[in-house]
């Protein structure tokens, strides 16, 4: 167990609902769920299996204090933010945001499942956006394609060449801009200062050190 995970477990004792309410983004909505199951029935990714627990089950487990099972679950990482559940929930629970809030909290505690493709994509996307001030699609694609080595990256690039050509033809991929390193941002320092301040305020609100 990571230090932070131990500290949080000790701080909240057996009150996992309170822990989620205070530590996870939008976690205070979990108690509003009335277990109707509309969210799970509406979820396109849940239909394909692979989820440890559908959303309403995860919410009940939080209320039942199943801390380990929830934090190590793959469920929050399967959500693709389609908002189907959110618009249909009779209690107006912002399920999409709650799922991402629980995922972010599990990540902070070092409980995110290893080898999770969603985690890898979101980390790569976030690092890219914060480093360049906006999503640099060229660098993002490079990071994702070459994450398993040069040979695997070249193989993926060859597989996707018809898609790249289609994007060029449709004017969605500018070769000259790509060769120059992709999109740039006008005030990178300003954006990074804003993000640092946001981290500081968020950490103060949650009573922890800035990430
Ligand atoms: S649709 Fe809303 S109220 Fe119904 S189970 Fe899902 S979160 Fe709970
Ligand atoms: S927003 Fe996420 S949890 Fe909700 S229906 Fe879409 S994939 Fe499922």
């Amino acid at each position: 167990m990571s230090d932070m995970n131990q500290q949080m477990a000790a701080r909240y004792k057996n009150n996992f609902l309170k822990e989620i309410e205070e530590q996870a983004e939008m976690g205070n909505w979990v108690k509003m769920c009335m277990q109707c199951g509309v969210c799970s029935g509406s979820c396109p990714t849940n239909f394909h299996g692979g989820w440890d627990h559908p959303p309403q089950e995860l919410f009940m487990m939080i209320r039942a204090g199943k801390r380990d099972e929830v934090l190590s679950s793959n469920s929050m990482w399967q959500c693709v933010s389609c908002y189907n559940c959110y618009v249909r929930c009779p209690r107006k629970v912002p399920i999409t945001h709650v799922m991402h809030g629980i995922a972010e909290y599990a990540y902070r505690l070092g409980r995110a499942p290893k080898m999770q493709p969603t985690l890898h994509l979101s980390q790569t996307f976030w690092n890219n956006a914060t480093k360049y001030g906006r999503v640099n699609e060229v660098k993002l694609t490079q990071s994702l394609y070459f994450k398993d080595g040069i040979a695997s990256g070249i193989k993926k690039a060859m597989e996707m060449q018809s898609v790249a050509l289609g994007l060029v033809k449709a004017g969605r991929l500018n070769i000259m801009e790509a060769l120059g390193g992709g999109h740039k941002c006008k005030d990178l320092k300003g954006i990074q200062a804003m993000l640092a301040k946001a981290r500081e305020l968020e950490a103060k609100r949650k009573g922890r050190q800035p990430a």
Side-chain angles (χ1 to χ4, degrees):
M1 228 195 242
S2 73
D3 287 352
M4 189 178 168
N5 190 25
Q6 276 177 328
Q7 281 166 18
M8 287 303 186
R11 178 163 153 190
Y12 289 99
K13 300 194 174 65
N14 291 323
N15 198 339
F16 186 45
L17 175 61
K18 187 162 188 269
E19 182 177 349
I20 287 293
E21 285 177 339
E22 291 184 2
Q23 296 294 328
E25 188 86 31
M26 301 269 192
N28 55 328
W29 279 90
V30 169
K31 60 178 173 291
M32 295 303 292
C33 172
M34 63 179 190
Q35 293 292 301
C36 68
V38 166
C39 52
S40 305
S42 310
C43 179
T45 57
N46 189 28
F47 287 136
H48 295 288
W51 285 60
D52 287 340
H53 310 283
Q56 101 274 5
E57 199 173 297
L58 206 66
F59 298 164
M60 180 51 84
M61 288 164 69
I62 292 171
R63 285 149 76 165
K66 294 189 177 295
R67 188 175 191 278
D68 279 340
E69 291 94 323
V70 170
L71 292 175
S72 59
S73 157
N74 73 0
S75 301
M76 316 70 94
W77 303 96
Q78 310 280 7
C79 172
V80 295
S81 308
C82 71
Y83 288 86
N84 236 4
C85 54
Y86 193 165
V87 297
R88 291 181 175 175
C89 173
R91 303 299 294 268
K92 305 288 177 215
V93 177
I95 303 155
T96 318
H97 302 298
V98 179
M99 296 299 273
H100 294 317
I102 302 168
E104 188 271 340
Y105 183 49
Y107 172 72
R108 262 198 284 137
L109 296 180
R111 301 295 306 265
K114 302 257 182 308
M115 310 302 292
Q116 172 53 250
T118 312
L119 175 60
H120 176 75
L121 174 64
S122 59
Q123 275 177 326
T124 309
F125 188 93
W126 177 251
N127 292 343
N128 181 290
T130 52
K131 183 170 177 188
Y132 299 105
R134 59 180 290 183
V135 177
N136 183 312
E137 287 142 354
V138 175
K139 307 265 188 211
L140 179 71
T141 307
Q142 280 172 354
S143 313
L144 292 171
Y145 276 28
F146 290 91
K147 78 179 174 58
D148 298 320
I150 292 178
S152 151
I154 292 172
K155 187 167 171 249
K156 277 192 200 114
M158 297 304 286
E159 284 168 4
M160 297 299 284
Q161 60 178 311
S162 62
V163 175
L165 284 173
L167 288 170
V168 171
K169 276 188 200 158
R172 301 304 304 265
L173 179 63
N174 184 324
I175 295 287
M176 295 315 289
E177 191 178 68
L179 291 173
H183 292 144
K184 293 187 177 60
C185 161
K186 284 183 189 159
D187 184 12
L188 181 56
K189 282 193 177 151
I191 287 184
Q192 286 176 338
M194 189 180 70
L195 288 170
K197 190 67 188 173
R199 283 193 194 98
E200 185 190 316
L201 292 172
E202 182 70 358
K204 203 170 165 187
R205 190 175 73 79
K206 291 181 177 166
R208 60 180 164 84
Q209 290 297 311

